[in-house]
Amino acid sequence: MNAPGTLREVSPVAVGPSDVAALDLIRRWIAFDTTSRESNLALIEWTRAYLEAHGALTTLTFDDERRKANLFATLPARDGNVIEGGIVLSGHTDVVPVDGQPWTSDPFTVAVRDDRLYGRGVTDMKSFSAVGLSFVPEFLRRGLRKPLHFALSYDEEVGCIGVRRLIDDLVARGVRPAGCIVGEPTGMELVVAHKGKRAWRCRVRGFEAHSSLTPHGVNAVQIACEIVAYIAARARDFRDAGQRDEAYDVPYSTSHVGVIRGGTALNIVPRDCSFDFEIRHLPFDDPQAFIADVRAFASRFLPEMKAVDAHTFIEFDPLSTLPGFDTHDGSSITTLGHACNATEDVGKVSFGTEASLFHAASVPTIICGPGHIAQAHQPNEWVELAQIARCESFMRRLADHLAA
Ligand SMILES: [Zn+2]
């Protein structure tokens, strides 16, 4: 998950470590350093052994180097069904780096202080998966009318990469879940929609000259900055004149430039500049129209650039695409979510998750998980024990609903 949200705070209930049955499993999961650049195989193998010991059927799908894997595991229904219907509990296994962050305790050892758990991933998002796994014996004791699946992915934090292979594998094997719950941190509120996201790199190639002879050169930094300013102007248009959906934390589409690189010395007209930008769009704003506008604006500079040097250019490389999703209220997965979290409210958020990829594969999906996105990716990442307790209540009601 990658942006702050503003979901409602829930009034805290006094909960201590002894009230949290999943604490052992959370500790184990946090102890695996699964920073996205590292292998996640130790965690995956541990979890696979745990699930198989409870009779789950498991499938791994790997990255190209076989350093990382997704784990898809199925607890069969009482009648042996492992394919048709049922619910997926989905979580990513990777976490963001702790490099350079001022942690006051070891990020990979859960610390319990002041009714909170501290550790990398306690909010984003190992606690949800660990709570789900801790309920496996309970799900089996109650019996399942339909299969229950766990989808545990790699490389979510670097662009929802791993889960795409997991979903392709499900589709290929004909596994057809009736719904999916993604446990990204929503404060245990039900989230039924998030924005889509597209990202690009713009590369401007100018022409070097001594800075006393600027008309003989093409200044790549300045042209890039004009395009950056246009993207900022489009962001103001979205804010001031665009369509809105007030159910979102940020109720309009946003665009932004996050990285820029260019130039080598003040006395050289810079040859190269590149910058990375994105749009996070509501369902009714077309990201293709946005990038077409940016390209059209950029193309105005080309005649003047080419007149100085034929090798100059402005190019746009796509970096990533994540669709938005919107599960309509009244769908069976939303009804199940309401029943499990015991509220009637729904929210919509601006950050992207794996939910949209399940949704795109025709699996109706909601997002509901412990902790708040504001604590994600932070030093001393924490989650309230009360949130873990709410997640456990959610799983208990889910077991009721799935019971044979
Ligand atoms: Zn996350």
Side-chain angles (χ1 to χ4, degrees), residues 199-260:
W200 298 268
R201 175 163 299 155
C202 174
R203 290 180 295 118
V204 180
R205 167 67 49 84
F207 188 69
E208 279 164 321
H210 191 282
S211 64
S212 65
L213 303 171
T214 53
H216 298 242
V218 175
N219 190 318
V221 167
Q222 290 182 187
I223 291 167
C225 288
E226 300 235 28
I227 304 169
V228 169
Y230 178 76
I231 291 166
R234 286 305 311 271
R236 285 190 290 274
D237 290 345
F238 286 130
R239 182 193 65 194
D240 299 337
Q243 292 190 73
R244 300 169 77 91
D245 181 342
E246 299 296 339
Y248 282 87
D249 44 2
V250 178
Y252 44 85
S253 296
T254 58
S255 57
H256 130 112
V257 176
V259 179
I260 186 162

Side-chain angles (χ1 to χ4, degrees), residues 79-253:
D79 62 3
N81 170 20
V82 292
I83 293 282
E84 198 59 55
I87 297 297
V88 180
L89 299 179
S90 172
H92 60 83
T93 61
D94 60 321
V95 294
V96 295
V98 297
D99 310 299
Q101 293 187 335
W103 284 75
T104 54
S105 57
D106 175 10
F108 300 104
T109 303
V110 169
V112 186
R113 298 194 295 271
D114 313 324
D115 304 330
R116 293 174 177 175
L117 302 181
Y118 290 82
R120 172 54 87 225
V122 291
T123 284
D124 188 10
M125 55 160 288
K126 287 180 166 175
S127 293
F128 173 83
S129 302
V131 170
L133 291 166
S134 75
F135 266 77
V136 164
E138 177 70 5
F139 290 131
L140 292 172
R141 190 183 65 76
R142 304 288 307 275
L144 294 164
R145 260 181 301 118
K146 296 283 182 185
L148 178 67
H149 310 282
F150 288 87
L152 305 171
S153 65
Y154 67 87
D155 278 357
E156 188 272 351
E157 294 289 4
V158 289
C160 292
I161 292 168
V163 78
R164 296 171 201 250
R165 292 188 178 194
L166 181 153
I167 292 171
D168 288 348
D169 175 65
L170 291 193
V171 171
R173 290 192 291 124
V175 180
R176 281 181 296 272
C180 175
I181 301 165
V182 174
E184 290 279 2
T186 65
M188 290 309 296
E189 298 292 317
L190 210 60
V191 165
V192 296
H194 68 62
K195 291 179 181 173
K197 176 189 160 187
R198 295 277 186 100
W200 298 268
R201 175 163 299 155
C202 174
R203 290 180 295 118
V204 180
R205 167 67 49 84
F207 188 69
E208 279 164 321
H210 191 282
S211 64
S212 65
L213 303 171
T214 53
H216 298 242
V218 175
N219 190 318
V221 167
Q222 290 182 187
I223 291 167
C225 288
E226 300 235 28
I227 304 169
V228 169
Y230 178 76
I231 291 166
R234 286 305 311 271
R236 285 190 290 274
D237 290 345
F238 286 130
R239 182 193 65 194
D240 299 337
Q243 292 190 73
R244 300 169 77 91
D245 181 342
E246 299 296 339
Y248 282 87
D249 44 2
V250 178
Y252 44 85
S253 296

Side-chain angles (χ1 to χ4, degrees), residues 24 64 73 76 80 89 91 118 154 174 225 257 319 331 341 353 375 390:
D24 256 10
D64 288 341
L89 299 179
Y118 290 82
Y154 67 87
C225 288
V257 176
L319 293 181
S331 67
N341 85 342
T353 76
Q375 275 85 55
R390 271 188 78 179

Side-chain angles (χ1 to χ4, degrees), residues 55 69 75 152 231 238 250 259-260 267 299 302 341 345-346 357 391:
L75 301 177
L152 305 171
I231 291 166
F238 286 130
V250 178
V259 179
I260 186 162
N267 60 1
S299 68
L302 289 171
N341 85 342
D345 300 334
V346 295
L357 299 172
C391 187

